[in-house]
Amino acid sequence: MASQSDIAEDAALRFTGESAEEPEDFIQAVNKRAYAAGKHKDNAWIADFAYPFFSRKALRWYEDLDEAVQSDWKLLKRAILAEFIDQQPAASKVPIAAPAVIR
């Protein structure tokens, strides 16, 4: 039976794809859980482990991936970063006016 801490940790793994920090946090959390389970070198196991934590925008995106990407953590984490980090809106490049000097 899952403990309260296991349930809380699993909730922290949820990945929606809706914030800039979330993809890296999700990958790190999945990697930590895989390492703790002694499965950190088993890319198929990690990809299967991560699947239930995709939701919302990230789940819709995941369902459109090729099966080869879905089943290999090394490919999946690269795809996550490419989709959800590289696609985040860039900071505005419009210069901000300098404050007026009052004499």
Side-chain angles (χ1 to χ4, degrees), residues 6-62:
D6 288 341
I7 293 168
E9 283 183 36
D10 288 350
L13 282 173
R14 191 175 115 184
F15 179 53
T16 64
E18 295 175 354
S19 77
E21 297 82 20
E22 191 185 18
E24 292 170 334
D25 293 345
F26 174 71
I27 290 170
Q28 183 180 34
V30 169
N31 285 340
K32 284 181 179 180
R33 291 292 295 271
Y35 191 84
K39 298 287 191 175
H40 57 283
K41 294 187 179 198
D42 187 341
N43 286 316
W45 184 93
I46 301 169
D48 287 343
F49 170 79
Y51 169 70
F53 303 107
F54 284 85
S55 66
R56 299 183 183 175
K57 178 181 176 183
L59 178 61
R60 292 187 303 273
W61 167 82
Y62 175 89

